[in-house]
Amino acid sequence: MSVTVLDGCTVVAMDAQRREHASGHVVVDGNRITAVGAGAAPRNIPGARYVDAGGCLATPGLVNTHHHLYQWVTRGIAADDTLFDWLTTLYPVWAGIDADIVATAATGSLAWLARSGCTTSTDHHYVFPRGAGDLFAAEIAAAARVGLRFHPCRGSMDLGQSHGGLPPDDVVEDRDEILLATQQAIDTHHDPSPSSMLRVGVAPCSPFSVTTELLHDAAELARRNGVLLHTHLAETLDEEDFCREHFGCSPVQYLERLGWLGEDVWIAHGIHLDDAAIDLVAATRTGVAHCPSSNARLGAGICRTRELRDAGVRVGLGVDGAASNEASSLWEEVRHAVLFARARGGPRALTVRDALELATIGGATVLGRQDEIGSLEPGKLADIALWRLDGLGHVDVVDPVAALVLGAQPPLELLLVNGRPVVERDRVVTVDTDEVAREVAAASHTLLGKAGVVA
């Protein structure tokens, strides 16, 4: 790995001082940032690759804190449904996934995420049909192929329809099987090292698809292994009604009762949180993955982002599943986070820099990696997005951060992950995206055919 110098760009460091340089430089040596500053870069670095970054904006790589990669091959189905109806429609389709389909879906989804500035992505995979192969290993291999830093979460469902849950019985697993498979996933794949490209989390799916016993046992397993916990929570009013009917309390109170809330936990969505719930999430240092586009696509509501931030809650952004956010662009989540917060709370509910913070150091903090990624600082891992802002769509926007957040998505001049190029001149260079597109089309046709959705 060599030295790369980004020279002449605007730099938004997103460090503790929130430093910005109208014309600056970033120096990368191997997989680490070694210098960030104003003015021209040093010219005497032996063997360095100098990138003329004039007209560009350098930001930390974006961090995706919630996703379902396998859904990339089931986009556009139940396009006008609420969450519960959407799930009921798609569960039978997802019952047909296998390792090959998951590998293809994950490759397509992660490559597209890279095009939107994403350098680190989580995934929440919770559908494991019998005889489908090693789905977890398949998506991990896809992330390595594309070259993104990856935090896959071994999800699970054990509460089928016959026992009062939402998913059909044929897509849920036995609790003991889940716990064994989760432990094996951690033992096989989890890398806790400071520069890790791969960390595993534990993620029972949701209160309406998981038993109380599994939630309890999964938390014990995660904490015994020192890994993070993740689940969906407070996404819809239907979920609120389900929890009050079955557990006599709100979703947040249910997790608190089980000892689930804490600094090693982040929840997806967190839309329907009242003031008391926000205070509880804040007091326990529980994180939230805000998914504005999916929330809107399913008509679930608008997250109280301003109130969460004011309370001190750790908040990051997520694209959520590709079947409930067909765009699957992390850059778009930055823009939508601003627009939806302002639609709800007025023009100062979220600034453009607040939104960029959510997507960078905010997401890194949710994943417990704020000391390694999420900002441009010497010693941190070289996960960097270089956005070109001198084209027609952005050249006259006086504030480069406003140009990035409020304008159209700008071309990516360069995306570095762990110091290695993944995108150059707006083209993914680690995989052939035309070939991946053909593979995705074939996998989608196969899967939908199994379900009788297409011939």
Side-chain angles (χ1 to χ4, degrees):
M1 298 178 73
S2 60
V3 177
T4 300
V5 181
L6 310 182
D7 198 16
C9 49
T10 299
V11 179
V12 176
M14 207 52 73
D15 57 6
Q17 293 75 35
R18 297 298 187 264
R19 279 180 278 229
E20 300 183 13
H21 306 296
S23 180
H25 63 273
V26 182
V27 180
V28 172
D29 189 349
N31 71 339
R32 297 277 174 180
I33 297 169
T34 57
V36 179
R43 304 303 301 182
N44 57 350
I45 303 174
R49 173 198 179 193
Y50 281 82
V51 176
D52 180 357
C56 295
L57 168 66
T59 71
L62 308 187
V63 179
N64 178 27
T65 60
H66 186 63
H67 205 12
H68 307 293
L69 296 173
Y70 74 94
Q71 294 180 11
W72 186 257
V73 291
T74 58
R75 295 189 293 164
I77 298 172
D80 303 313
D81 282 357
T82 63
L83 175 66
F84 277 26
D85 290 340
W86 174 84
L87 284 170
T88 301
T89 300
L90 279 162
Y91 277 139
V93 179
W94 296 336
I97 61 174
D98 59 28
D100 289 339
I101 289 172
V102 168
T104 297
T107 301
S109 191
L110 290 167
W112 194 251
L113 275 175
R115 279 283 312 281
S116 71
C118 178
T119 53
T120 297
S121 184
T122 60
D123 188 54
H124 184 181
H125 190 98
Y126 55 85
V127 179
F128 292 89
R130 292 191 180 278
D134 194 339
L135 308 186
F136 203 67
E139 67 171 6
I140 288 172
R145 181 183 174 195
V146 175
L148 295 196
R149 202 176 300 279
F150 197 37
H151 281 235
C153 298
R154 208 297 179 176
S156 53
M157 300 188 295
D158 72 333
L159 185 63
Q161 287 176 344
S162 63
H163 291 88
L166 187 67
D169 289 349
D170 62 353
V171 298
V172 303
E173 300 175 274
D174 174 78
R175 185 166 78 254
D176 290 337
E177 291 177 343
I178 289 167
L179 297 171
L180 177 60
T182 303
Q183 184 64 61
Q184 289 174 339
I186 295 169
D187 292 342
T188 303
H189 301 291
H190 180 64
D191 176 10
S193 69
S195 60
S196 174
M197 291 290 290
L198 179 61
R199 290 188 180 172
V200 174
V202 177
C205 185
S206 65
F208 52 83
S209 60
V210 171
T211 62
T212 299
E213 292 78 12
L214 178 57
L215 281 170
H216 175 272
D217 292 349
E220 280 197 343
L221 185 153
R223 287 166 177 154
R224 188 166 62 247
N225 286 275
V227 302
L228 299 184
L229 278 165
H230 183 48
T231 193
H232 297 93
L233 201 77
E235 184 176 2
T236 67
L237 292 175
D238 288 337
E239 179 193 325
E240 176 86 17
D241 293 342
F242 181 93
C243 287
R244 292 200 178 278
E245 177 184 350
H246 289 82
F247 314 122
C249 60
S250 72
V252 170
Q253 290 169 331
Y254 178 52
L255 285 198
E256 181 193 26
R257 182 187 300 171
L258 296 175
W260 245 74
L261 302 181
E263 196 160 8
D264 59 348
V265 177
W266 85 102
I267 60 172
H269 302 292
I271 300 170
H272 298 286
L273 301 176
D274 60 18
D275 291 346
I278 289 176
D279 289 344
L280 182 55
V281 170
T284 55
R285 293 290 298 154
T286 303
V288 173
H290 174 35
C291 306
S293 298
S294 176
N295 296 346
R297 199 286 209 181
L298 294 169
I302 300 175
C303 179
R304 301 176 65 192
T305 319
R306 178 74 268 162
E307 290 89 340
L308 288 169
R309 285 171 56 83
D310 287 346
V313 174
R314 298 176 296 132
V315 183
L317 294 181
V319 301
D320 200 12
S324 65
N325 177 4
E326 281 74 4
S328 292
S329 162
L330 192 50
W331 166 85
E332 189 170 273
E333 300 312 309
V334 182
R335 187 170 190 267
H336 284 172
V338 169
L339 298 182
F340 296 161
R342 292 182 182 188
R344 185 182 180 279
R348 292 184 177 84
L350 206 68
T351 71
V352 292
R353 284 165 174 78
D354 289 339
L356 185 57
E357 179 182 311
L358 292 179
T360 54
I361 193 64
T365 302
V366 166
L367 299 182
R369 302 202 69 172
Q370 65 273 16
D371 294 334
E372 304 167 85
I373 60 174
S375 62
L376 304 181
E377 301 179 72
K380 283 204 165 183
L381 295 168
D383 291 3
I384 304 169
L386 187 65
W387 310 88
R388 181 154 291 286
L389 298 180
D390 56 0
L392 180 60
H394 307 88
V395 67
D396 60 331
V397 183
V398 295
D399 178 357
V401 178
L404 173 65
V405 174
L406 297 179
Q409 179 175 331
L412 264 178
E413 183 68 14
L414 183 65
L415 187 75
L416 297 179
V417 182
N418 213 40
R420 297 182 181 274
V422 173
V423 177
E424 293 189 84
R425 297 190 175 179
D426 217 29
R427 183 178 67 87
V428 178
V429 296
T430 51
V431 296
D432 181 340
T433 53
D434 290 337
E435 177 61 29
V436 171
R438 288 189 287 270
E439 293 169 356
V440 164
S444 178
H445 183 80
T446 296
L447 180 59
L448 299 181
K450 286 183 183 180
V453 177
V454 294

